[in-house]
Amino acid sequence: MKSLKAKSLTLKKWMLGLAAGLVLTACSGPTADKPATTGAADAPAQGGDLRIAVITHGSAGDAFWNVVKNGSEAAGKQLGVKVEYNSDGDPGAQSKLIDNAVAQKVGGLVVSMANPEALKTSIQNAVKAGIPVITINSGEDRSAEFGALAHVGQSEGLAGQGAGQRLKAAGKTKLLCVIHEAGNVGQNQRCDGAKQSFGDVQTLQVDINNPTDAQARLKAALQSDPSIDAVLALNSQVAAGAVTAAKGANSKAQVATFDLNADVVAAIKDGSILFAVDQQQYEQGYLPIVFLKLYKDNANTIGGGKPVQTGPGFVDKSNVDAIAPYAQRGTR
Amino acid sequence: MAVAAPARADERMAKPRFTDRLIAAPEIGALLGAVLVFVFFSVVTDQFLSPLGVSTWLDDSSTLGIMGVAVALLMIGGEFDLSAGVMTASTSLVTAMLATQAGWNVWLALLASLAFALAVGAFNGWLVMKTGLPSFIVTLGTFLALQGLNLGITRLVTGTVQVSGMRSTDGYESAGALFASTVDIGGTQFQISIVWWIIVAAVAAWVLVRTKFGNWIFAVGGSLQSSRAVGVPVVRTKILLFMTTAFAGWIVGSINILRFASVQANQGIGLELQYIIAAVVGGCLLTGGFGSAVGAAIGALIFGMARQGIVFARWDSDWFMLFLGVMLLAAVLVNNTFRRRAERVRR
């Protein structure tokens, strides 16, 4: 067994070398909660073409995020800014996309923060590297703390409250709030908001990736509790399913929803959907590009530390005709 | 007068030629693929080779690699673990909830989640061996069960679907130094998970090629009946293999929770397929009995390089999955060709 012994000796040597190497190189642990360091993003980059990375948590092929992407790309085209859109629903993978953008030394970064805690280090590293960051859609309460220039989005709690108010005003008494992404904090905030202004709210969990199942579960929920007279969907696709489910269950429940698409517009027109809460996410894609361009050319900032609200706007029978063509082309 | 038969050495004792040995190595296809992907993105993009760029794709490969290596051992042993992806989230959640909600020291919480992971791994292995059901089915069950537990318990305990607040728990910094720190090399920060990846791959490769247990893994994956007949402790080997993937899940879960300081209840779902892909690209057979740990680590490297390389190349992300799919197919086809040649060489 001579050879084995020799092997283990070289292995030992190798491990020693590795250990020595580790000791020699400076290690730094993750930082615990400490007062946030700000600054670094004070000096705008000068000269050259502006390149902006937009990194969201939307899954590929999601209709909502497609509108955000369209907004960013339209602004990029109009302003002569290169815009690159990437997304990943997993917070760890999203943070790696941010690291990647920092490694590419982009001129600006637009990030949606569905899970701010997980993105903290990556965003702070971007700020440290002198890249101006604007957060969009979610995470408005942590945006300034991480050193972002501004936040563009809709406060989910407020939007939920607004929806609850409208449903109450329509004379509804029992509401089913449909959550379609298990891990999404913003959706929970919407339902909580609706609870505050409406009162009797139940939540139902469905899987957006399986529309058949979502519709069946909605139908079952409405069948089992005929006293439910309103359904609040948080996604346009779920809303369409909810309308069918309510019909199938012979339920009197009327459907309201977050977010628009062509189906929802048609349903609002024919009265099968009461209204849609529109957070106008096109602006969440468009405005940050404008803001970053202004920042680069003129050192302008916007919002003064307060989030820039893109919603809630409400689309109902009264204004749906004006908005329909825009939903058709994927910008509303 | 008998003619003496020409002296012929037993062919089984002959030393195979170096080139034949090279071809017969399961990881050779993956290695070629990795070189190809590396060269491609180095040429096509500016920042892929920059220190910061390298740290990005190594980082992406590392957690995938830790799991890929463990999954490769299990696959060589002839089994699958579909609960491996969700396990990374479950261990994160256990650690995070004990630390933030119950106020435990992070180290203690990590130990508890380790015990939890090993118990689930042992349960998987025990159930597979006890019932004789395919591990595909058994671990699909634990996958779904864990997914439900993750969401159910998280919402029950926290009222929301994320657990956060790790940064202000006891022992966060010292535990973080082990699992989530960065190593400064020439001014660029490299994640410590890369070191974990290398260590896990090295240990697994050593166990597989140099130890008796490694032989048992090949034996139970190659032919269960014959390995039983020659006295390999089949049950123990397989249970230990399931515990190994669970253990790797715990390492990755710990890295994630300490690095990102929060965990989402639906995290990790779908990643189990990526681990299997890394192992297969690295030369593992889906039928068991053949493969390599180093190959799986390289398979993860290919995945990470391609995933970040596509972003570096600034391609429209709409085409991302197409590219990934084509590349994986190519890698597997190359592997397959090599394996056939390898089998010819062995005969």
Side-chain angles (χ1 to χ4, degrees):
Chain A
M1 284 285 118
K2 175 181 155 268
S3 70
L4 197 71
K5 190 156 188 197
K7 273 270 161 29
S8 78
L9 264 180
T10 50
L11 187 73
K12 217 178 250 173
K13 247 190 224 163
W14 184 79
M15 292 288 269
L16 270 177
L18 186 77
L22 280 179
V23 172
L24 283 177
T25 49
C27 288
S28 62
T31 47
D33 269 335
K34 274 182 199 133
T37 48
T38 46
D42 299 334
Q46 292 292 329
D49 286 338
L50 182 57
R51 238 181 80 220
I52 296 173
V54 182
I55 298 165
T56 75
H57 68 276
S59 50
D62 183 314
F64 176 91
W65 287 102
N66 185 44
V67 175
V68 176
K69 187 181 180 188
N70 286 344
S72 293
E73 285 174 348
K77 232 171 251 161
Q78 286 162 23
L79 298 171
V81 172
K82 273 192 207 122
V83 172
E84 282 143 25
Y85 179 95
N86 281 290
S87 64
D88 203 308
D90 178 76
Q94 196 193 353
S95 80
K96 278 161 200 164
L97 285 172
I98 297 171
D99 296 343
N100 189 320
V102 174
Q104 293 189 50
K105 302 187 177 69
V106 294
L109 195 57
V110 181
V111 180
S112 73
M113 288 205 298
N115 190 336
E117 204 54 48
L119 303 183
K120 185 176 183 179
T121 313
S122 291
I123 289 179
Q124 286 179 338
N125 280 342
V127 172
K128 242 183 263 167
I131 298 171
V133 178
I134 290 184
T135 58
I136 59 168
N137 186 261
S138 28
E140 68 170 46
D141 47 340
R142 307 295 298 276
S143 172
E145 178 196 332
F146 291 181
L149 278 188
H151 179 85
V152 182
Q154 164 186 266
S155 163
E156 303 290 12
L158 285 180
Q161 280 181 24
Q165 257 159 18
R166 283 198 161 225
L167 286 167
K168 204 174 184 182
K172 306 295 173 195
T173 55
K174 190 162 193 188
L175 175 65
L176 187 69
C177 191
V178 191
I179 291 177
H180 59 265
E181 269 172 30
N184 192 320
V185 169
Q187 292 182 9
N188 284 272
Q189 289 169 343
R190 287 177 182 175
C191 288
D192 289 345
K195 214 172 271 177
Q196 282 168 18
S197 61
F198 186 86
D200 192 358
V201 177
Q202 281 183 356
T203 54
L204 176 72
Q205 177 82 54
V206 301
D207 182 1
I208 184 74
N209 294 323
N210 189 346
T212 321
D213 163 73
Q215 196 171 317
R217 260 195 248 185
L218 269 161
K219 193 172 156 188
L222 292 174
Q223 253 166 351
S224 65
D225 187 352
S227 68
I228 294 172
D229 56 6
V231 176
L232 182 58
L234 306 181
N235 168 288
S236 42
Q237 202 185 338
V238 175
V243 171
T244 320
K247 260 181 215 149
N250 283 325
S251 164
K252 62 184 172 193
Q254 274 194 295
V255 178
T257 184
F258 276 68
D259 303 338
L260 284 177
N261 68 6
D263 290 344
V264 169
V265 167
I268 291 174
K269 273 186 188 167
D270 71 23
S272 56
I273 287 182
L274 218 49
F275 64 84
V277 184
D278 186 11
Q279 64 170 300
Q280 306 183 82
Q281 71 273 29
Y282 187 79
E283 297 176 343
Q284 296 174 9
Y286 192 96
L287 292 177
I289 308 295
V290 178
F291 294 178
L292 286 168
K293 173 80 173 154
L294 279 171
Y295 179 72
K296 188 195 170 225
D297 294 348
N298 208 29
N300 285 130
T301 57
I302 283 144
K306 291 261 185 290
V308 178
Q309 298 285 344
T310 61
F314 291 93
V315 179
D316 56 19
K317 247 190 173 146
S318 66
N319 60 356
V320 67
D321 287 324
I323 287 160
Y326 306 126
Q328 198 72 45
R329 70 174 192 196
T331 59
R332 268 307 276 270
Chain B
M1 203 165 64
V3 179
R8 214 164 60 121
D10 187 336
E11 53 146 20
R12 285 170 302 179
M13 300 293 283
K15 273 220 157 173
R17 277 181 303 154
F18 176 71
T19 48
D20 286 352
R21 262 170 52 203
L22 201 63
I23 285 172
E27 57 271 71
I28 192 69
L31 196 61
L32 282 179
V35 170
L36 204 70
V37 172
F38 176 81
V39 170
F40 177 76
F41 283 114
S42 302
V43 172
V44 168
T45 74
D46 304 330
Q47 268 91 19
F48 188 77
L49 259 188
S50 71
L52 206 53
V54 173
S55 79
T56 307
W57 49 259
L58 279 182
D59 176 26
D60 194 10
S61 310
S62 60
T63 46
L64 180 61
I66 293 166
M67 292 304 290
V69 165
V71 167
L73 292 191
L74 182 69
M75 278 174 68
I76 297 169
E79 306 288 348
F80 290 98
D81 187 354
L82 295 186
S83 67
V86 171
M87 181 61 83
T88 63
S90 295
T91 49
S92 289
L93 282 167
V94 171
T95 308
M97 271 192 263
L98 288 176
T100 62
Q101 305 290 321
W104 289 26
N105 183 288
V106 174
W107 287 101
L108 223 62
L110 282 173
L111 276 183
S113 66
L114 175 61
F116 165 78
L118 292 178
V120 174
F123 174 77
N124 273 338
W126 174 79
L127 205 59
V128 166
M129 294 319 290
K130 182 85 184 165
T131 60
L133 287 170
S135 54
F136 195 86
I137 299 300
V138 170
T139 57
L140 185 62
T142 37
F143 161 63
L144 296 173
L146 285 176
Q147 193 181 335
L149 275 178
N150 285 357
L151 185 57
I153 292 184
T154 307
R155 206 197 283 278
L156 210 62
V157 172
T158 66
T160 174
V161 288
Q162 288 176 357
V163 186
S164 53
M166 278 302 284
R167 272 181 237 268
S168 34
T169 53
D170 277 352
Y172 171 75
E173 293 217 24
S174 58
L178 183 63
F179 285 108
S181 56
T182 54
V183 180
D184 187 308
I185 300 175
T188 308
Q189 305 293 324
F190 286 83
Q191 289 292 333
I192 199 85
S193 56
I194 301 167
V195 177
W196 278 97
W197 175 34
I198 295 168
I199 291 175
V200 168
V203 170
W206 178 74
V207 167
L208 200 57
V209 187
R210 297 276 166 212
T211 68
K212 191 156 73 176
F213 186 65
N215 279 336
W216 292 348
I217 297 175
F218 279 110
V220 296
S223 170
L224 198 64
Q225 298 311 326
S226 1
S227 54
R228 217 174 236 139
V230 296
V232 172
V234 172
V235 176
R236 198 195 335 158
T237 305
K238 292 227 179 185
I239 289 180
L240 277 173
L241 283 175
F242 278 105
M243 289 172 79
T244 306
T245 57
F247 175 69
W250 174 78
I251 296 179
V252 172
S254 305
I255 288 171
N256 283 345
I257 185 61
L258 290 166
R259 175 163 171 200
F260 300 119
S262 82
V263 54
Q264 206 165 285
N266 63 348
Q267 213 165 289
I269 295 168
L271 294 187
E272 59 281 341
L273 281 183
Q274 296 187 5
Y275 308 150
I276 294 174
I277 289 169
V280 170
V281 168
C284 285
L285 280 188
L286 287 165
T287 46
F290 186 82
S292 113
V294 174
I298 299 174
L301 179 67
I302 295 181
F303 213 103
M305 284 197 296
R307 194 152 52 181
Q308 299 298 325
I310 290 168
V311 185
F312 279 118
R314 297 175 212 168
W315 291 341
D316 190 334
S317 55
D318 289 355
W319 302 97
F320 180 89
M321 285 293 170
L322 173 69
F323 180 84
L324 216 53
V326 169
M327 204 197 53
L328 287 177
L329 275 180
V332 175
L333 286 176
V334 168
N335 262 346
N336 207 28
T337 320
F338 270 101
R339 208 190 60 246
R340 287 221 187 99
R341 290 192 58 181
E343 276 163 2
R344 267 208 301 280
V345 167
R346 245 189 274 154
R347 250 175 239 137

